Structure formats: C-alpha cells, structure tokens
PDB file of all heavy atoms in Angstrom:
ATOM      1  N   ALA A   1       2.282  15.090   7.121  1.00 94.00           N
ATOM      2  CA  ALA A   1       2.143  16.353   6.389  1.00 94.00           C
ATOM      3  C   ALA A   1       3.456  17.125   6.339  1.00 94.00           C
ATOM      4  O   ALA A   1       3.627  18.003   5.484  1.00 94.00           O
ATOM      5  CB  ALA A   1       1.058  17.208   7.028  1.00 94.00           C
ATOM      6  N   SER A   2       4.394  16.774   7.226  1.00 94.00           N
ATOM      7  CA  SER A   2       5.701  17.430   7.219  1.00 94.00           C
ATOM      8  C   SER A   2       6.733  16.673   6.395  1.00 94.00           C
ATOM      9  O   SER A   2       7.856  17.142   6.221  1.00 94.00           O
ATOM     10  CB  SER A   2       6.217  17.592   8.648  1.00 94.00           C
ATOM     11  OG  SER A   2       6.363  16.329   9.275  1.00 94.00           O
ATOM     12  N   GLY A   3       6.380  15.469   5.901  1.00 95.00           N
ATOM     13  CA  GLY A   3       7.270  14.773   4.972  1.00 95.00           C
ATOM     14  C   GLY A   3       7.991  13.555   5.501  1.00 95.00           C
ATOM     15  O   GLY A   3       8.852  13.015   4.802  1.00 95.00           O
ATOM     16  N   LYS A   4       7.648  13.058   6.683  1.00 97.00           N
ATOM     17  CA  LYS A   4       8.297  11.852   7.191  1.00 97.00           C
ATOM     18  C   LYS A   4       7.615  10.624   6.593  1.00 97.00           C
ATOM     19  O   LYS A   4       6.437  10.362   6.854  1.00 97.00           O
ATOM     20  CB  LYS A   4       8.232  11.796   8.714  1.00 97.00           C
ATOM     21  CG  LYS A   4       8.926  10.568   9.298  1.00 97.00           C
ATOM     22  CD  LYS A   4       8.823  10.526  10.809  1.00 97.00           C
ATOM     23  CE  LYS A   4       9.489   9.273  11.370  1.00 97.00           C
ATOM     24  NZ  LYS A   4       9.392   9.199  12.853  1.00 97.00           N
ATOM     25  N   LEU A   5       8.356   9.850   5.793  1.00 97.00           N
ATOM     26  CA  LEU A   5       7.801   8.698   5.080  1.00 97.00           C
ATOM     27  C   LEU A   5       8.153   7.392   5.777  1.00 97.00           C
ATOM     28  O   LEU A   5       9.289   7.195   6.208  1.00 97.00           O
ATOM     29  CB  LEU A   5       8.289   8.668   3.637  1.00 97.00           C
ATOM     30  CG  LEU A   5       7.668   7.567   2.763  1.00 97.00           C
ATOM     31  CD1 LEU A   5       7.212   8.117   1.428  1.00 97.00           C
ATOM     32  CD2 LEU A   5       8.666   6.419   2.544  1.00 97.00           C
ATOM     33  N   THR A   6       7.161   6.503   5.872  1.00 95.00           N
ATOM     34  CA  THR A   6       7.350   5.157   6.404  1.00 95.00           C
ATOM     35  C   THR A   6       6.815   4.153   5.392  1.00 95.00           C
ATOM     36  O   THR A   6       5.672   4.280   4.942  1.00 95.00           O
ATOM     37  CB  THR A   6       6.596   4.970   7.736  1.00 95.00           C
ATOM     38  OG1 THR A   6       7.043   5.949   8.666  1.00 95.00           O
ATOM     39  CG2 THR A   6       6.830   3.583   8.296  1.00 95.00           C
ATOM     40  N   THR A   7       7.624   3.181   5.013  1.00 93.00           N
ATOM     41  CA  THR A   7       7.164   2.125   4.107  1.00 93.00           C
ATOM     42  C   THR A   7       6.406   1.091   4.920  1.00 93.00           C
ATOM     43  O   THR A   7       6.929   0.508   5.862  1.00 93.00           O
ATOM     44  CB  THR A   7       8.348   1.463   3.386  1.00 93.00           C
ATOM     45  OG1 THR A   7       9.076   2.462   2.674  1.00 93.00           O
ATOM     46  CG2 THR A   7       7.858   0.413   2.400  1.00 93.00           C
ATOM     47  N   LEU A   8       5.145   0.859   4.557  1.00 90.00           N
ATOM     48  CA  LEU A   8       4.306  -0.101   5.268  1.00 90.00           C
ATOM     49  C   LEU A   8       4.421  -1.502   4.685  1.00 90.00           C
ATOM     50  O   LEU A   8       4.305  -2.486   5.411  1.00 90.00           O
ATOM     51  CB  LEU A   8       2.841   0.342   5.218  1.00 90.00           C
ATOM     52  CG  LEU A   8       2.519   1.696   5.852  1.00 90.00           C
ATOM     53  CD1 LEU A   8       1.044   2.030   5.645  1.00 90.00           C
ATOM     54  CD2 LEU A   8       2.867   1.701   7.325  1.00 90.00           C
ATOM     55  N   GLN A   9       4.635  -1.592   3.372  1.00 89.00           N
ATOM     56  CA  GLN A   9       4.662  -2.901   2.726  1.00 89.00           C
ATOM     57  C   GLN A   9       5.486  -2.838   1.457  1.00 89.00           C
ATOM     58  O   GLN A   9       5.318  -1.921   0.641  1.00 89.00           O
ATOM     59  CB  GLN A   9       3.232  -3.357   2.386  1.00 89.00           C
ATOM     60  CG  GLN A   9       3.120  -4.705   1.703  1.00 89.00           C
ATOM     61  CD  GLN A   9       3.323  -5.869   2.663  1.00 89.00           C
ATOM     62  OE1 GLN A   9       3.303  -5.660   3.876  1.00 89.00           O
ATOM     63  NE2 GLN A   9       3.485  -7.056   2.150  1.00 89.00           N
ATOM     64  N   TYR A  10       6.387  -3.808   1.300  1.00 90.00           N
ATOM     65  CA  TYR A  10       7.067  -4.019   0.022  1.00 90.00           C
ATOM     66  C   TYR A  10       6.304  -5.117  -0.708  1.00 90.00           C
ATOM     67  O   TYR A  10       6.219  -6.242  -0.226  1.00 90.00           O
ATOM     68  CB  TYR A  10       8.523  -4.444   0.251  1.00 90.00           C
ATOM     69  CG  TYR A  10       9.365  -3.396   0.921  1.00 90.00           C
ATOM     70  CD1 TYR A  10       9.648  -3.472   2.279  1.00 90.00           C
ATOM     71  CD2 TYR A  10       9.886  -2.331   0.192  1.00 90.00           C
ATOM     72  CE1 TYR A  10      10.434  -2.501   2.904  1.00 90.00           C
ATOM     73  CE2 TYR A  10      10.675  -1.355   0.811  1.00 90.00           C
ATOM     74  CZ  TYR A  10      10.936  -1.452   2.154  1.00 90.00           C
ATOM     75  OH  TYR A  10      11.706  -0.488   2.775  1.00 90.00           O
ATOM     76  N   LEU A  11       5.741  -4.795  -1.862  1.00 89.00           N
ATOM     77  CA  LEU A  11       4.901  -5.763  -2.570  1.00 89.00           C
ATOM     78  C   LEU A  11       5.754  -6.815  -3.262  1.00 89.00           C
ATOM     79  O   LEU A  11       6.914  -6.582  -3.610  1.00 89.00           O
ATOM     80  CB  LEU A  11       4.022  -5.044  -3.588  1.00 89.00           C
ATOM     81  CG  LEU A  11       3.037  -4.019  -2.997  1.00 89.00           C
ATOM     82  CD1 LEU A  11       2.180  -3.419  -4.098  1.00 89.00           C
ATOM     83  CD2 LEU A  11       2.156  -4.652  -1.932  1.00 89.00           C
ATOM     84  N   ASN A  12       5.156  -8.004  -3.476  1.00 85.00           N
ATOM     85  CA  ASN A  12       5.822  -9.072  -4.211  1.00 85.00           C
ATOM     86  C   ASN A  12       4.859  -9.652  -5.231  1.00 85.00           C
ATOM     87  O   ASN A  12       3.647  -9.421  -5.177  1.00 85.00           O
ATOM     88  CB  ASN A  12       6.325 -10.159  -3.256  1.00 85.00           C
ATOM     89  CG  ASN A  12       5.201 -10.779  -2.458  1.00 85.00           C
ATOM     90  OD1 ASN A  12       4.371 -11.503  -2.995  1.00 85.00           O
ATOM     91  ND2 ASN A  12       5.153 -10.492  -1.158  1.00 85.00           N
ATOM     92  N   TRP A  13       5.402 -10.409  -6.166  1.00 84.00           N
ATOM     93  CA  TRP A  13       4.600 -10.868  -7.293  1.00 84.00           C
ATOM     94  C   TRP A  13       3.430 -11.758  -6.873  1.00 84.00           C
ATOM     95  O   TRP A  13       2.342 -11.666  -7.440  1.00 84.00           O
ATOM     96  CB  TRP A  13       5.480 -11.608  -8.296  1.00 84.00           C
ATOM     97  CG  TRP A  13       4.740 -11.935  -9.559  1.00 84.00           C
ATOM     98  CD1 TRP A  13       4.116 -13.097  -9.893  1.00 84.00           C
ATOM     99  CD2 TRP A  13       4.502 -11.047 -10.659  1.00 84.00           C
ATOM    100  NE1 TRP A  13       3.519 -13.010 -11.117  1.00 84.00           N
ATOM    101  CE2 TRP A  13       3.744 -11.758 -11.616  1.00 84.00           C
ATOM    102  CE3 TRP A  13       4.870  -9.728 -10.928  1.00 84.00           C
ATOM    103  CZ2 TRP A  13       3.336 -11.192 -12.826  1.00 84.00           C
ATOM    104  CZ3 TRP A  13       4.479  -9.165 -12.128  1.00 84.00           C
ATOM    105  CH2 TRP A  13       3.723  -9.901 -13.051  1.00 84.00           C
ATOM    106  N   SER A  14       3.613 -12.596  -5.889  1.00 80.00           N
ATOM    107  CA  SER A  14       2.559 -13.546  -5.538  1.00 80.00           C
ATOM    108  C   SER A  14       1.348 -12.847  -4.935  1.00 80.00           C
ATOM    109  O   SER A  14       0.203 -13.260  -5.165  1.00 80.00           O
ATOM    110  CB  SER A  14       3.091 -14.601  -4.563  1.00 80.00           C
ATOM    111  OG  SER A  14       3.553 -13.993  -3.372  1.00 80.00           O
ATOM    112  N   ASP A  15       1.568 -11.775  -4.157  1.00 76.00           N
ATOM    113  CA  ASP A  15       0.446 -11.051  -3.563  1.00 76.00           C
ATOM    114  C   ASP A  15      -0.141 -10.012  -4.508  1.00 76.00           C
ATOM    115  O   ASP A  15      -1.304  -9.644  -4.397  1.00 76.00           O
ATOM    116  CB  ASP A  15       0.886 -10.342  -2.286  1.00 76.00           C
ATOM    117  CG  ASP A  15       1.102 -11.313  -1.135  1.00 76.00           C
ATOM    118  OD1 ASP A  15       0.527 -12.410  -1.175  1.00 76.00           O
ATOM    119  OD2 ASP A  15       1.842 -10.960  -0.211  1.00 76.00           O
ATOM    120  N   GLY A  16       0.656  -9.530  -5.423  1.00 83.00           N
ATOM    121  CA  GLY A  16       0.233  -8.464  -6.319  1.00 83.00           C
ATOM    122  C   GLY A  16       1.352  -7.456  -6.502  1.00 83.00           C
ATOM    123  O   GLY A  16       2.121  -7.184  -5.568  1.00 83.00           O
ATOM    124  N   ALA A  17       1.459  -6.905  -7.692  1.00 88.00           N
ATOM    125  CA  ALA A  17       2.578  -6.024  -8.015  1.00 88.00           C
ATOM    126  C   ALA A  17       2.113  -4.887  -8.914  1.00 88.00           C
ATOM    127  O   ALA A  17       1.103  -4.973  -9.593  1.00 88.00           O
ATOM    128  CB  ALA A  17       3.683  -6.821  -8.718  1.00 88.00           C
ATOM    129  N   GLN A  18       2.900  -3.812  -8.924  1.00 90.00           N
ATOM    130  CA  GLN A  18       2.629  -2.621  -9.724  1.00 90.00           C
ATOM    131  C   GLN A  18       1.239  -2.020  -9.445  1.00 90.00           C
ATOM    132  O   GLN A  18       0.329  -2.055 -10.284  1.00 90.00           O
ATOM    133  CB  GLN A  18       2.786  -2.907 -11.220  1.00 90.00           C
ATOM    134  CG  GLN A  18       4.217  -2.978 -11.682  1.00 90.00           C
ATOM    135  CD  GLN A  18       4.716  -4.403 -11.878  1.00 90.00           C
ATOM    136  OE1 GLN A  18       3.940  -5.301 -12.141  1.00 90.00           O
ATOM    137  NE2 GLN A  18       6.012  -4.602 -11.746  1.00 90.00           N
ATOM    138  N   PRO A  19       1.048  -1.430  -8.259  1.00 94.00           N
ATOM    139  CA  PRO A  19      -0.222  -0.778  -7.951  1.00 94.00           C
ATOM    140  C   PRO A  19      -0.295   0.621  -8.560  1.00 94.00           C
ATOM    141  O   PRO A  19       0.118   1.603  -7.945  1.00 94.00           O
ATOM    142  CB  PRO A  19      -0.215  -0.724  -6.424  1.00 94.00           C
ATOM    143  CG  PRO A  19       1.235  -0.642  -6.064  1.00 94.00           C
ATOM    144  CD  PRO A  19       1.970  -1.443  -7.107  1.00 94.00           C
ATOM    145  N   PHE A  20      -0.810   0.712  -9.771  1.00 94.00           N
ATOM    146  CA  PHE A  20      -0.999   2.025 -10.391  1.00 94.00           C
ATOM    147  C   PHE A  20      -2.059   2.826  -9.642  1.00 94.00           C
ATOM    148  O   PHE A  20      -2.044   4.049  -9.635  1.00 94.00           O
ATOM    149  CB  PHE A  20      -1.399   1.875 -11.870  1.00 94.00           C
ATOM    150  CG  PHE A  20      -0.236   1.664 -12.786  1.00 94.00           C
ATOM    151  CD1 PHE A  20       0.245   0.395 -13.024  1.00 94.00           C
ATOM    152  CD2 PHE A  20       0.395   2.733 -13.394  1.00 94.00           C
ATOM    153  CE1 PHE A  20       1.334   0.186 -13.871  1.00 94.00           C
ATOM    154  CE2 PHE A  20       1.476   2.542 -14.238  1.00 94.00           C
ATOM    155  CZ  PHE A  20       1.949   1.267 -14.475  1.00 94.00           C
ATOM    156  N   ALA A  21      -3.002   2.119  -9.030  1.00 95.00           N
ATOM    157  CA  ALA A  21      -4.066   2.780  -8.294  1.00 95.00           C
ATOM    158  C   ALA A  21      -3.604   3.153  -6.898  1.00 95.00           C
ATOM    159  O   ALA A  21      -2.717   2.525  -6.327  1.00 95.00           O
ATOM    160  CB  ALA A  21      -5.282   1.859  -8.210  1.00 95.00           C
ATOM    161  N   GLY A  22      -4.232   4.174  -6.333  1.00 95.00           N
ATOM    162  CA  GLY A  22      -4.009   4.519  -4.950  1.00 95.00           C
ATOM    163  C   GLY A  22      -4.872   3.676  -4.037  1.00 95.00           C
ATOM    164  O   GLY A  22      -5.498   2.692  -4.451  1.00 95.00           O
ATOM    165  N   LEU A  23      -4.927   4.057  -2.783  1.00 96.00           N
ATOM    166  CA  LEU A  23      -5.708   3.352  -1.782  1.00 96.00           C
ATOM    167  C   LEU A  23      -7.044   4.056  -1.560  1.00 96.00           C
ATOM    168  O   LEU A  23      -7.182   5.253  -1.816  1.00 96.00           O
ATOM    169  CB  LEU A  23      -4.947   3.314  -0.454  1.00 96.00           C
ATOM    170  CG  LEU A  23      -3.561   2.660  -0.470  1.00 96.00           C
ATOM    171  CD1 LEU A  23      -2.823   2.956   0.831  1.00 96.00           C
ATOM    172  CD2 LEU A  23      -3.692   1.152  -0.681  1.00 96.00           C
ATOM    173  N   VAL A  24      -8.018   3.308  -1.067  1.00 96.00           N
ATOM    174  CA  VAL A  24      -9.273   3.890  -0.616  1.00 96.00           C
ATOM    175  C   VAL A  24      -9.508   3.417   0.810  1.00 96.00           C
ATOM    176  O   VAL A  24      -9.262   2.264   1.148  1.00 96.00           O
ATOM    177  CB  VAL A  24     -10.447   3.499  -1.546  1.00 96.00           C
ATOM    178  CG1 VAL A  24     -10.647   1.997  -1.608  1.00 96.00           C
ATOM    179  CG2 VAL A  24     -11.736   4.179  -1.090  1.00 96.00           C
ATOM    180  N   LEU A  25      -9.933   4.338   1.680  1.00 94.00           N
ATOM    181  CA  LEU A  25     -10.179   4.011   3.077  1.00 94.00           C
ATOM    182  C   LEU A  25     -11.602   3.507   3.221  1.00 94.00           C
ATOM    183  O   LEU A  25     -12.567   4.241   2.972  1.00 94.00           O
ATOM    184  CB  LEU A  25      -9.952   5.243   3.953  1.00 94.00           C
ATOM    185  CG  LEU A  25     -10.125   5.063   5.462  1.00 94.00           C
ATOM    186  CD1 LEU A  25      -9.156   4.023   6.004  1.00 94.00           C
ATOM    187  CD2 LEU A  25      -9.934   6.402   6.180  1.00 94.00           C
ATOM    188  N   GLY A  26     -11.751   2.239   3.585  1.00 95.00           N
ATOM    189  CA  GLY A  26     -13.072   1.639   3.737  1.00 95.00           C
ATOM    190  C   GLY A  26     -13.719   2.037   5.045  1.00 95.00           C
ATOM    191  O   GLY A  26     -13.072   2.560   5.964  1.00 95.00           O
ATOM    192  N   THR A  27     -15.024   1.771   5.171  1.00 95.00           N
ATOM    193  CA  THR A  27     -15.752   2.139   6.376  1.00 95.00           C
ATOM    194  C   THR A  27     -15.378   1.279   7.571  1.00 95.00           C
ATOM    195  O   THR A  27     -15.768   1.585   8.702  1.00 95.00           O
ATOM    196  CB  THR A  27     -17.272   2.045   6.133  1.00 95.00           C
ATOM    197  OG1 THR A  27     -17.582   0.771   5.548  1.00 95.00           O
ATOM    198  CG2 THR A  27     -17.737   3.134   5.191  1.00 95.00           C
ATOM    199  N   ASP A  28     -14.619   0.199   7.353  1.00 93.00           N
ATOM    200  CA  ASP A  28     -14.123  -0.615   8.469  1.00 93.00           C
ATOM    201  C   ASP A  28     -12.785  -0.114   8.988  1.00 93.00           C
ATOM    202  O   ASP A  28     -12.190  -0.723   9.882  1.00 93.00           O
ATOM    203  CB  ASP A  28     -14.013  -2.080   8.055  1.00 93.00           C
ATOM    204  CG  ASP A  28     -13.096  -2.299   6.857  1.00 93.00           C
ATOM    205  OD1 ASP A  28     -12.583  -1.293   6.322  1.00 93.00           O
ATOM    206  OD2 ASP A  28     -12.908  -3.454   6.449  1.00 93.00           O
ATOM    207  N   GLY A  29     -12.272   0.983   8.433  1.00 92.00           N
ATOM    208  CA  GLY A  29     -11.002   1.546   8.872  1.00 92.00           C
ATOM    209  C   GLY A  29      -9.792   0.966   8.192  1.00 92.00           C
ATOM    210  O   GLY A  29      -8.659   1.391   8.470  1.00 92.00           O
ATOM    211  N   ASN A  30      -9.981   0.016   7.272  1.00 92.00           N
ATOM    212  CA  ASN A  30      -8.878  -0.579   6.531  1.00 92.00           C
ATOM    213  C   ASN A  30      -8.759   0.069   5.154  1.00 92.00           C
ATOM    214  O   ASN A  30      -9.716   0.660   4.643  1.00 92.00           O
ATOM    215  CB  ASN A  30      -9.084  -2.088   6.379  1.00 92.00           C
ATOM    216  CG  ASN A  30      -9.047  -2.803   7.715  1.00 92.00           C
ATOM    217  OD1 ASN A  30      -8.241  -2.493   8.576  1.00 92.00           O
ATOM    218  ND2 ASN A  30      -9.948  -3.755   7.892  1.00 92.00           N
ATOM    219  N   TYR A  31      -7.578  -0.072   4.559  1.00 93.00           N
ATOM    220  CA  TYR A  31      -7.349   0.441   3.217  1.00 93.00           C
ATOM    221  C   TYR A  31      -7.525  -0.679   2.200  1.00 93.00           C
ATOM    222  O   TYR A  31      -7.163  -1.831   2.447  1.00 93.00           O
ATOM    223  CB  TYR A  31      -5.932   1.012   3.090  1.00 93.00           C
ATOM    224  CG  TYR A  31      -5.711   2.262   3.898  1.00 93.00           C
ATOM    225  CD1 TYR A  31      -5.042   2.217   5.119  1.00 93.00           C
ATOM    226  CD2 TYR A  31      -6.170   3.497   3.447  1.00 93.00           C
ATOM    227  CE1 TYR A  31      -4.834   3.369   5.866  1.00 93.00           C
ATOM    228  CE2 TYR A  31      -5.969   4.649   4.186  1.00 93.00           C
ATOM    229  CZ  TYR A  31      -5.308   4.580   5.395  1.00 93.00           C
ATOM    230  OH  TYR A  31      -5.114   5.720   6.130  1.00 93.00           O
TER     231      TYR A  31
END
C-alpha cells in the first residue's frame, strides 16, 4: 500500500502472454 513493487513472474510466450485481465484470488489461496 506504500508503493514497494515486487515482480513475481515474467511471462513468456509458451506459458501465456499479454494478460489484459487482472488476477482473481481463489478459495484455495492461489491466484
């Protein structure tokens, strides 16, 4: 909330690219 950013994943073409959508937090605690 104070602005410290951490990159969790750099996407690549084979896994998927250009995520126009945001994330949703599932009930298992994963995004």
